[in-house]
């Protein structure tokens, strides 16, 4: 196996930490000593004399120690003034792992080159990048390390060298399309466009300098409210009311309520994030089937997802009503195998809103690897759930500000929850479909004597208020 790396002879390049890690790896894993080699180039340009002198002194000591302990064949180290692109590409092509341990780094193009060169290989190489570099934020297929955490770095290096082909290919596919389409020319065009969009003469007045505080999240509300002001749901009371009534309406949120949803982790870059499964747990699915068998129940599940997602998870439950896109599209309860879907009317100028929103979101998609645009009947979403958590959250905040500015004349609202920024008509929310469900049930059954409405976040508050 070949591990490759190119670092400047500077303290912030983390080269000494890399060599110490490699030395420890050879010491702890004797089986790898005759199976691995580190090809390392150290660039010394002479422009930071003191830093280079101290770094080279440390590096040479560690390199000499590695050669004496494990032999010259375990490391190919060379000090150079530069590494031409043809030599870099040759290194990337033959290596099995790109190893970066920078303590602080900007946007280096070398990891992008590595992704591009390895994109056509049957067994692509694996990137190990420092969390203190920009590449860590934009390359979703890379393994993330903290150079200061020796044990974690050792485990990551061992994982990279032992990684199976299918995982290597999967990680390469996460980044190759974005890297291949993000040329220097497109980057320049984006910068020029941003410069043209910004106007130094239009400064915000002082009274708008401080943005209004966002609505308190439901979890924060539950933490701060006293017991006398917020009453927990009593399951026994719910069961008693259920058994004593016969005209029941049950409305449930989908993601986070009956389907387990992982939060967007703000500190840990995961290999996979999102729903913890394709559908609800088996026990929840069985409970929904049982509720729908009772003709006295009107059961609806409302989701912010597109129709295909909720239908594939719950569409086979007979007697269940489904609503997608926050209720703009819905399928009434049916005992038939084939479902019919209806749609509510939305804003008349929605096509104009969609055109402007997609233009803005496309710009952020080009700058944020792993993000994508989701189009629903009554909403336009920019998903950053699969992005680097820190970078995705930061981009989402900037996106909301730009959307608010560009769509100020339209009657729309913006929601940033669960790893997605959504634009939707201001007057449209889950409460609209809940009101329709209750009205239809009352008309059909000559009234409603039991309503159970369940959700998990602030986007479900409109459902609750429409019931009251």
């Amino acid at each position: 196996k070949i591990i490759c790396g190119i670092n400047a002879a500077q303290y912030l390049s983390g080269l000494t930490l890399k060599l110490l890690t490699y030395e420890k790896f050879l010491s702890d894993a004797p089986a790898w000593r005759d199976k691995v080699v580190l090809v390392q180039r150290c660039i010394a340009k002479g422009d930071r004399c003191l830093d280079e002198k101290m770094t080279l002194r440390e590096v040479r000591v560690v390199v000499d120690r590695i050669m004496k302990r494990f032999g010259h064949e375990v490391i190919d180290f060379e000090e150079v003034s530069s590494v031409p692109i043809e030599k870099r590409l040759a290194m990337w092509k033959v290596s099995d792992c790109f190893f970066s341990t920078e303590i602080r780094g900007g946007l280096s193009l070398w990891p992008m080159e590595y992704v591009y060169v390895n994109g056509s290989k049957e067994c692509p190489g694996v990137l190990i990048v420092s969390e203190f570099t920009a590449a860590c934020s934009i390359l979703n297929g890379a393994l993330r390390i903290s150079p200061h955490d020796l044990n974690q770095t050792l485990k990551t290096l061992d994982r990279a060298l032992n990684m199976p082909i299918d995982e290597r290919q999967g990680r390469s596919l996460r980044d190759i399309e974005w890297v291949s389409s993000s040329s220097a020319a497109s980057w320049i065009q984006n910068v020029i466009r941003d410069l043209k969009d910004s106007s130094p003469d239009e400064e915000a007045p002082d009274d708008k300098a401080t943005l209004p505080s966002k609505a308190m999240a439901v979890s924060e509300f539950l933490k701060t409210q006293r017991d006398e002001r917020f009453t927990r749901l009593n399951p026994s009371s719910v069961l008693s009311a259920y058994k004593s009534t016969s005209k029941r309406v049950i409305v449930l949120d989908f993601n986070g309520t009956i389907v387990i949803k992982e939060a967007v982790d703000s500190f840990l870059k995961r290999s996979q994030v999102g729903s913890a499964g394709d559908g609800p747990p088996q026990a929840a699915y069985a409970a929904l089937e049982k509720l729908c068998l009772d003709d006295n129940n009107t059961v609806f599940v409302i989701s912010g997802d597109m129709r295909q997602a909720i239908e594939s998870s719950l569409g086979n439950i007979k007697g269940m009503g489904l609503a997608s896109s926050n209720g703009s599209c819905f399928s009434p309860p049916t005992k038939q195998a084939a479902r019919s879907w209806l749609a509510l009317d939305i804003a008349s100028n929605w096509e104009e809103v969609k055109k402007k929103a997609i233009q803005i979101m496309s710009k952020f998609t080009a700058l944020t690897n792993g993000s994508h645009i989701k189009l629903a009947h009554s909403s336009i979403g920019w998903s950053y759930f699969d992005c680097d958590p820190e970078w995705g959250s930061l981009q989402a905040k900037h996106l909301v500000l730009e959307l608010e500015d560009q769509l100020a004349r339209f009657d729309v609202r913006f929601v940033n929850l669960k790893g997605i920024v959504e634009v939707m008509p201001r007057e449209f929310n889950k409460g609209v479909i809940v009101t329709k469900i209750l009205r239809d049930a009352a008309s059909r059954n000559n009234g409603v004597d039991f309503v159970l409405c369940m959700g998990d976040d602030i986007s479900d508050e409109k459902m609750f208020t429409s019931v009251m």
Side-chain angles (χ1 to χ4, degrees):
K1 297 285 186 178
I2 299 176
I3 306 170
C4 70
I6 301 176
N7 295 85
Q10 298 174 6
Y11 170 75
L12 294 179
S13 71
L15 179 54
T16 304
L17 290 175
K18 179 192 293 188
L19 294 171
L20 290 173
T21 300
Y22 185 62
E23 181 183 26
K24 178 68 172 174
F25 177 76
L26 294 175
S27 176
D28 292 353
W32 277 108
R33 294 176 187 174
D34 58 349
K35 299 178 182 179
V36 68
V37 58
L38 171 62
V39 179
Q40 178 66 49
R41 297 295 177 261
C42 179
I43 300 177
K45 296 182 178 180
D47 51 356
R48 300 182 63 177
C49 299
L50 182 59
D51 189 3
E52 284 188 2
K53 182 179 179 181
M54 295 178 63
T55 301
L56 287 173
R57 184 171 57 193
E58 293 178 353
V59 165
R60 288 165 183 165
V61 170
V62 180
V63 170
D64 289 342
R65 192 167 64 218
I66 291 174
M67 290 181 174
K68 289 178 181 178
R69 290 185 62 188
F70 308 109
H72 288 68
E73 62 276 6
V74 298
I75 186 169
D76 179 0
F77 177 82
E78 185 178 355
E79 297 176 17
V80 295
S81 58
S82 65
V83 182
I85 187 169
E86 59 272 12
K87 290 188 176 181
R88 291 203 307 271
L89 297 183
M91 285 180 63
W92 308 153
K93 191 71 175 180
V94 301
S95 63
D96 301 282
C97 176
F98 178 95
F99 194 17
S100 167
T101 55
E102 292 178 274
I103 298 174
R104 182 66 63 189
L107 183 58
S108 170
L109 296 181
W110 295 339
M112 320 311 180
E113 291 178 354
Y114 191 84
V115 171
Y116 186 80
V117 170
N118 279 263
S120 59
K121 290 173 61 176
E122 181 179 353
C123 184
V126 181
L127 284 98
I128 301 177
V129 296
S130 168
E131 63 181 6
F132 304 116
T133 62
C136 180
S137 297
I138 59 179
L139 295 179
N140 292 327
L143 297 177
R144 177 180 185 174
I145 61 167
S146 170
H148 303 291
D149 189 339
L150 180 60
N151 291 330
Q152 181 227 9
T153 305
L154 286 172
K155 292 178 182 178
T156 304
L157 182 58
D158 182 69
R159 178 186 175 187
L161 294 175
N162 288 294
M163 187 175 292
I165 294 179
D166 56 347
E167 185 177 353
R168 287 173 175 266
Q169 292 173 340
R171 289 183 173 276
S172 176
L173 289 174
R174 294 188 195 182
D175 299 314
I176 185 63
E177 182 178 355
W178 182 82
V179 170
S180 301
S181 60
S182 301
S183 63
S186 63
W187 179 80
I188 293 172
Q189 290 174 355
N190 290 334
V191 172
I192 294 175
R193 181 184 58 197
D194 291 343
L195 290 172
K196 289 181 178 179
D197 290 343
S198 62
S199 175
D201 299 328
E202 297 179 5
E203 297 182 357
D206 293 339
D207 59 339
K208 294 184 179 180
T210 303
L211 295 176
S213 59
K214 300 294 181 183
M216 180 182 292
V218 173
S219 59
E220 289 300 315
F221 173 81
L222 296 177
K223 290 178 182 178
T224 57
Q225 299 305 301
R226 297 181 180 178
D227 291 342
E228 62 266 21
R229 296 182 59 188
F230 188 83
T231 305
R232 292 179 179 273
L233 183 67
N234 188 329
S236 300
S237 299
V238 174
L239 184 60
S240 175
Y242 180 88
K243 291 180 176 180
S244 63
T245 53
S246 60
K247 304 172 184 179
R248 299 182 286 262
V249 175
I250 300 171
V251 181
L252 306 171
D253 171 52
F254 185 61
N255 283 325
T257 302
I258 62 173
V259 173
I260 300 172
K261 187 84 169 182
E262 293 181 0
V264 180
D265 197 319
S266 298
F267 304 100
L268 179 62
K269 181 176 180 180
R270 301 183 179 183
S271 298
Q272 294 180 344
V273 291
S275 297
D278 294 329
Q282 185 176 358
Y285 192 93
L288 290 172
E289 285 185 313
K290 189 172 182 180
L291 287 171
C292 292
L293 288 175
D294 192 335
D295 292 333
N296 294 323
N297 294 339
T298 299
V299 183
F300 254 89
V301 173
I302 304 176
S303 172
D305 289 344
M306 299 181 67
R307 164 184 160 183
Q308 292 82 355
I310 188 172
E311 190 172 17
S312 64
S313 296
L314 302 173
N316 293 328
I317 300 180
K318 294 181 178 180
M320 170 172 283
L322 301 176
S324 65
S325 302
N326 291 314
S328 63
C329 296
F330 65 97
S331 173
T334 178
K335 301 291 185 180
Q336 305 299 321
R339 286 187 172 272
S340 60
W341 286 83
L342 306 173
L344 298 177
D345 292 332
I346 56 176
S348 59
N349 59 358
W350 184 244
E351 290 301 319
E352 189 177 355
V353 172
K354 184 187 293 187
K355 181 179 179 181
K356 286 184 173 292
I358 291 177
Q359 183 179 6
I360 297 170
M361 289 179 178
S362 297
K363 179 176 69 173
F364 278 81
T365 302
L367 299 173
T368 314
N369 189 21
S371 65
H372 61 276
I373 298 174
K374 295 176 64 176
L375 295 177
H377 180 263
S378 64
S379 67
I380 309 150
W382 183 77
S383 175
Y384 59 97
F385 216 103
D386 294 327
C387 302
D388 177 83
E390 297 92 338
W391 179 241
S393 297
L394 179 63
Q395 289 289 80
K397 293 176 182 178
H398 288 294
L399 173 61
V400 171
L401 291 175
E402 186 161 343
L403 288 171
E404 288 176 342
D405 177 62
Q406 297 297 317
L407 301 178
R409 67 185 183 90
F410 298 100
D411 193 24
V412 295
R413 61 191 178 95
F414 311 96
V415 180
N416 184 6
L417 285 173
K418 297 180 180 177
I420 184 169
V421 174
E422 285 188 290
V423 182
M424 59 186 67
R426 187 177 301 278
E427 297 301 323
F428 190 84
N429 52 67
K430 291 181 180 180
V432 176
I433 188 64
V434 173
T435 299
K436 177 175 174 55
I437 293 169
L438 292 173
R439 185 172 60 245
D440 293 349
S443 175
R444 184 173 58 252
N445 302 324
N446 195 25
V448 174
D449 55 10
F450 176 92
V451 178
L452 176 63
C453 186
M454 300 179 67
D456 72 302
D457 61 40
I458 199 168
S459 67
D460 301 319
E461 289 294 324
K462 293 294 183 180
M463 293 201 306
F464 306 146
T465 55
S466 66
V467 172
M468 298 172 63

